Amino acid sequence: MTRTLRTLTVPLDGESAPEGLPPYLVRDDVLCWTRREAGLVGFGEAARFTATGPERFLEADIWWRHLVIEADITDHVECPGTGPVAFGSFAFSKASDHESRLIVPEIVVGVRDGRAWLTQITADDAELTEAGAFAALKGWLESAPAAAVGPPADGGATTDLAAAVVNPDAATLKTGSLSEEDWMDAVTAGVAEIRAGKLEKLVLARDIVATVPEGVNAAEVLRQLAGRYRECWTYGVDGLVGATPEMLIQVEGRTAQARVLAGTLDRRDAVGEAGLPLDYAERVLAGSEKQRHEHEIAIQSLTTQLAPFSEAMNAHDEPFILELPNVWHLASDVKAELTEVEGHVPTCLALINALHPTAAVCGTPTQVAGALIRKLEHLDRGPYAGPVGWLDAAGNGEWGIALRGAVIESPTTVRLYAGCGIVEGSQPEAELAETWAKFRPMLESLGISN
């Protein structure tokens, strides 16, 4: 049984975090949620919850609410992300053996809207003081191993695994659960099911395994991702690392927001094209019936599931082009004002329980797509494409979808995941190439050029 938590939150002066959170990404065991210079970084572990199965979100919600109701909270900053905070990662599938988790750190550094703060969290009876909190943070930072921060790698993409090596002695890649040929056969089978009218959309994922003999530096991976993919949310929870461009749900007070992506174009496809690259992206993505159809399915999936919790909702009439270093996406932002359900505003985890999995990562209809994923992928996605993020005692939180990421499985091996939305017009070779474009952020951050 978890003991009562005690927390103290105090301001950090501007000089303590002049460059935001990236300079705090110094430990391989850091808990991380950053975008641009803002977000949260956590050190240590004051409490942990784990669960598997279909009730994992609701069980985590009950555990967290009981924990914070009983907590002794002193908060001198009072904004989203202050007070007790838990970082979380949840399995994609209710049938997965992978444990979903909430982790409450001992120390949290937060930056938001030019404000910075420090929270110390403990389950013992020691007195919490500002001086003690700063000393604890200093201790965590000074215990971080020294790591050289090198220049960003010039990553790439290829469908030739034999060529996907920086240096034969440095790093190698191998296929995961399915070979490229078998995965393309799975895409073909999925398209056949769609054409037979069994479903509208299917999302198929694949994995590859990187071996890095000199060792995987998780802190360096996070720094690389945070620096390159500033429009994404860089996350790190218990060996799960990545930079997702997709926000499943963000809650602040009674306002909920989401960013939905569906429709992808590799930026390398624009090489040699006349005109501005963004013009090319708008023409190819926004002008593609296949891409727009895939995007509309994803938007409808999220708004339909969010509607029962909302008293008002709006979404972009037309998707916009989200420009990332590796790809362009069709994107839409959704905003909703939450309504009371059974006498209270729904929590982040209650919303996630209703929203996950969306058509953007599963397909539609959900049950049909989920069954077909299990049949065709031959892969336990684990936390890939599951919710990842944080929540606080006031009900605020940010939960992305764990995309563009990987699981560090050992000191020298990393399993990378990427997936594609399959619709009637999908071509297996093009979908395979898209997975390589989506692997690129993690490959770059590992220093692997391919």
Side-chain angles (χ1 to χ4, degrees):
M1 182 175 179
T2 303
R3 291 179 291 172
T4 300
L5 290 183
R6 299 167 56 247
T7 75
L8 172 66
T9 301
V10 295
L12 279 173
D13 60 56
E15 294 181 0
S16 301
E19 300 175 38
L21 289 171
Y24 289 94
L25 304 177
V26 295
R27 295 182 58 93
D28 282 357
D29 58 352
V30 71
L31 296 160
C32 169
W33 179 268
T34 73
R35 183 171 184 254
R36 301 180 182 138
E37 284 75 31
L40 300 170
V41 168
F43 302 96
E45 184 175 313
R48 173 185 289 249
F49 172 85
T50 60
T52 58
E55 303 301 318
R56 60 200 184 283
F57 302 116
L58 297 181
E59 290 173 6
D61 192 23
I62 292 170
W63 178 83
W64 177 245
R65 281 190 287 165
H66 285 173
L67 194 70
V68 298
I69 285 172
E70 297 173 357
D72 179 2
I73 303 170
T74 302
D75 186 349
H76 297 298
V77 179
E78 296 187 342
C79 72
T82 62
V85 167
F87 292 77
S89 163
F90 288 84
F92 169 81
S93 172
K94 63 185 179 183
S96 176
D97 291 332
H98 177 81
E99 284 190 333
S100 300
R101 64 208 63 188
L102 290 178
I103 301 172
V104 182
E106 296 176 24
I107 288 288
V108 180
V109 177
V111 178
R112 175 189 173 94
D113 299 330
R115 304 173 71 190
W117 63 89
L118 169 63
T119 299
Q120 185 174 16
I121 305 171
T122 183
D124 62 33
D125 296 328
E127 182 183 3
L128 294 179
T129 65
E130 182 172 337
F134 279 98
L137 173 60
K138 183 179 179 182
W140 280 106
L141 296 177
E142 290 181 347
S143 65
V149 181
D154 184 15
T158 180
T159 57
D160 181 6
L161 278 175
V165 177
V166 178
N167 178 322
D169 298 324
T172 58
L173 294 179
K174 65 178 182 179
T175 54
S177 300
L178 290 177
S179 69
E180 294 182 343
E181 292 75 15
D182 288 341
W183 189 80
M184 286 191 288
D185 288 344
V187 173
T188 299
V191 171
E193 295 288 300
I194 293 169
R195 289 176 177 168
K198 303 287 184 62
L199 69 169
E200 277 191 275
K201 178 185 175 180
L202 172 68
V203 180
L204 288 178
R206 56 184 290 255
D207 61 334
I208 58 175
V209 178
T211 300
V212 186
E214 68 270 26
V216 179
N217 186 326
E220 174 64 8
V221 167
L222 293 171
R223 285 195 297 268
Q224 292 278 350
L225 291 170
R228 293 172 187 272
Y229 291 83
R230 288 172 53 78
E231 294 305 309
C232 296
W233 290 269
T234 297
Y235 57 87
V237 180
D238 246 16
L240 172 68
V241 294
T244 181
E246 189 153 4
M247 176 65 72
L248 176 61
I249 198 73
Q250 176 187 34
V251 176
E252 184 175 338
R254 298 186 70 141
T255 301
Q257 298 185 76
R259 172 162 287 181
V260 181
L261 308 181
T264 303
L265 179 63
D266 190 342
R267 292 191 60 150
R268 291 185 170 181
D269 292 345
V271 175
E273 293 288 335
L276 297 174
L278 193 56
D279 292 339
Y280 172 78
E282 289 176 347
R283 183 172 72 253
V284 175
L285 275 180
S288 166
E289 182 178 347
K290 169 193 175 288
Q291 302 278 19
R292 291 183 69 93
H293 177 57
E294 182 184 342
H295 189 78
E296 288 166 3
I297 292 172
I299 282 287
Q300 184 177 6
S301 167
L302 182 127
T303 55
T304 299
Q305 296 301 107
L306 188 56
F309 302 93
S310 308
E311 58 187 31
M313 187 187 311
N314 64 70
H316 288 138
D317 293 331
E318 286 289 321
F320 63 91
I321 302 294
L322 177 64
E323 185 174 7
L324 301 176
N326 59 326
V327 296
W328 291 288
H329 288 295
L330 280 182
S332 291
D333 288 338
V334 177
K335 185 174 183 178
E337 292 302 315
L338 299 174
T339 189
E340 290 189 0
V341 178
E342 298 181 352
H344 62 83
V345 176
T347 64
C348 291
L349 294 176
L351 292 173
I352 291 171
N353 184 60
L355 296 175
H356 177 80
T358 68
V361 292
C362 179
T364 187
T366 303
Q367 290 187 341
V368 177
L372 197 53
I373 285 171
R374 291 189 291 274
K375 176 182 176 182
L376 297 177
E377 280 188 355
H378 300 279
L379 170 70
D380 184 344
R381 293 184 178 184
Y384 167 72
V388 61
W390 63 271
L391 75 166
D392 68 16
N396 306 301
E398 294 179 289
W399 292 88
I401 299 174
L403 305 175
R404 313 298 186 269
V407 174
I408 300 172
E409 295 186 332
S410 81
T412 58
T413 59
V414 184
R415 188 173 300 271
L416 290 72
Y417 299 85
C420 298
I422 309 302
V423 292
E424 186 173 352
S426 295
Q427 299 294 323
E429 295 81 3
E431 302 300 336
L432 180 66
E434 183 177 315
T435 65
W436 280 107
K438 291 176 175 177
F439 283 134
R440 200 177 302 150
M442 279 304 308
L443 291 175
E444 290 173 346
S445 68
L446 291 167
I448 300 176
S449 176
N450 67 307

